[in-house]
Amino acid sequence: SFFNTAENEGTDGVDDDGNLIVDDVFGYDFYENDTLPLDENGHGTLVASIIAGVEGNGYGGAGICQDAEILPIRVFDQFGRSGLPKFARVSDVALALDYAGVTGVDIVNLSLGGSFFSYTEFAILELLSSEGILIVAAAGNGGSDGYGDDNDTSPIYPASYDVATIISVAAQDRSGGLARFSNYGLESVDIAAPGTDIFGADVARNEVFFEDFQTGAPGWVTGELSGNESSDVWLIEELAGEKFLYDHSLAYDSYLPNTDTWVRSPLVDLSSVVGARLEFDAFLSLADDVLYVELSNDGFSWDIFESFTY
């Protein structure tokens, strides 16, 4: 990874290498405005390990270019690409791109995107391009319906900027086809690369809440919205000696779609947690239906975290 010898061996509080950032020994965090660009989400760590992970060190897998030197730059909050509020300030991205160019990188990797065109961002990317810097940008992951969108008609930036050295990359699934969530575009997307079931490194994590339903489900609440046509509610069923939370009884084929039943977990205290991640296993048979996973900060208003449909 990147190590700035000039700043490390220079004078504290002085921009020893002249790149306009003081004491940036290990890169820079433009979100927190400090010289420790620590990944609080895990996505950056995963991408870095896919690119340059060293084999045999016990972390993640072997990268595709193990001799690569990576300059860590942070612009996202701890929720990154998979949570709320899920944003990076355009001003931070612009500063980060300028910093990358001044520091002398050969390639910029941008695993981020949004629907708004920024003249500032565009101008900086054009400048990097004119200097021969390759810019690899994610084509994007579609909307809340779980399906990718056409970038030709609904551009995602920076992938959709008309800049000569930008490569816009869609995601493939494990069979080599386009991943369901991945954006696409005959004119605006250049290539696709593996984007699902990728093994790599992650940030260190501690378990905050776990439920396997084997001894009941204390604190879980079930319910239904008005107009429900079915008597089904979420309940614990046993299959092959293991217990699972099901949205209808396994003894009867009585499930009806669009019945608006729901189940809510106990309150999970994340007040002292940074970069929380939700993981769960699900068996889905959702013809003509959809499963929403929602999050709430107050128990009253809910935001869609993920959705599944088939």
Side-chain angles (χ1 to χ4, degrees):
S1 64
F2 174 80
F3 183 78
N4 193 333
T5 303
E7 291 289 355
N8 185 59
E9 297 178 355
T11 303
D12 288 346
V14 175
D15 179 16
D16 299 286
D17 60 355
N19 69 354
L20 307 181
I21 299 292
V22 175
D23 296 337
D24 55 322
V25 177
F26 303 106
Y28 198 77
D29 182 342
F30 286 92
Y31 185 81
E32 297 285 358
N33 291 316
D34 61 44
T35 55
L36 290 176
L38 299 178
D39 182 5
E40 296 182 358
N41 172 264
H43 182 63
T45 299
L46 172 63
V47 172
S49 72
I50 294 170
I51 296 171
V54 177
E55 60 182 313
N57 65 0
Y59 297 97
I64 59 176
C65 185
Q66 298 181 35
D67 294 331
E69 185 177 6
I70 292 181
L71 169 64
I73 305 175
R74 181 190 177 208
V75 295
F76 264 100
D77 61 17
Q78 68 266 33
F79 299 100
R81 67 182 178 96
S82 303
L84 303 170
K86 187 184 175 183
F87 77 96
R89 294 178 289 258
V90 174
S91 58
D92 290 346
V93 175
L95 289 170
L97 290 171
D98 182 66
Y99 171 67
V102 171
T103 306
V105 303
D106 298 311
I107 302 171
V108 171
N109 182 81
L110 293 166
S111 295
L112 52 87
S115 58
F116 295 102
F117 185 103
S118 165
Y119 285 99
T120 300
E121 190 175 64
F122 172 67
I124 293 176
L125 288 170
E126 277 206 314
L127 177 60
L128 297 183
S129 179
S130 70
E131 296 174 351
I133 296 175
L134 181 65
I135 303 154
V136 182
N141 294 337
S144 60
D145 61 358
Y147 288 90
D149 301 318
D150 188 347
N151 283 3
D152 288 351
T153 56
S154 301
I156 291 295
Y157 302 103
S160 295
Y161 286 127
D162 185 14
V163 172
T165 60
I166 284 183
I167 298 178
S168 174
V169 187
Q172 292 174 299
D173 60 24
R174 62 190 306 168
S175 68
L178 185 71
R180 184 190 68 174
F181 59 81
S182 177
N183 289 353
Y184 53 91
L186 185 62
E187 299 295 332
S188 58
V189 177
D190 300 299
I191 62 173
T196 64
D197 303 301
I198 304 295
F199 181 77
D202 194 6
V203 297
R205 298 184 183 277
N206 297 314
E207 189 173 275
V208 177
F209 176 79
F210 174 78
E211 176 66 83
D212 61 5
F213 304 107
Q214 301 306 299
T215 58
W220 290 74
V221 180
T222 64
E224 60 190 48
L225 299 185
S226 60
N228 190 354
E229 301 175 16
S230 170
S231 60
D232 292 329
V233 293
W234 290 77
L235 43 83
I236 296 175
E237 290 279 318
E238 186 168 336
L239 183 66
E242 297 290 331
K243 294 181 180 179
F244 305 88
L245 185 68
Y246 273 84
D247 60 352
H248 68 288
S249 173
L250 294 177
Y252 304 97
D253 187 19
S254 58
Y255 174 74
L256 294 176
N258 302 307
T259 51
D260 290 327
T261 58
W262 54 266
V263 59
R264 186 175 68 234
S265 75
L267 178 66
V268 180
D269 184 3
L270 300 178
S271 58
S272 60
V273 176
V274 173
R277 183 166 69 184
L278 174 65
E279 296 181 350
F280 59 91
D281 295 319
F283 175 78
L284 306 175
S285 180
L286 294 171
D288 302 317
D289 208 353
V290 61
L291 170 68
Y292 292 104
V293 180
E294 299 181 329
L295 302 177
S296 175
N297 290 322
D298 55 17
F300 298 100
S301 59
W302 296 82
D303 294 290
I304 297 174
F305 176 77
E306 186 61 274
S307 64
F308 304 90
T309 187
Y310 289 91

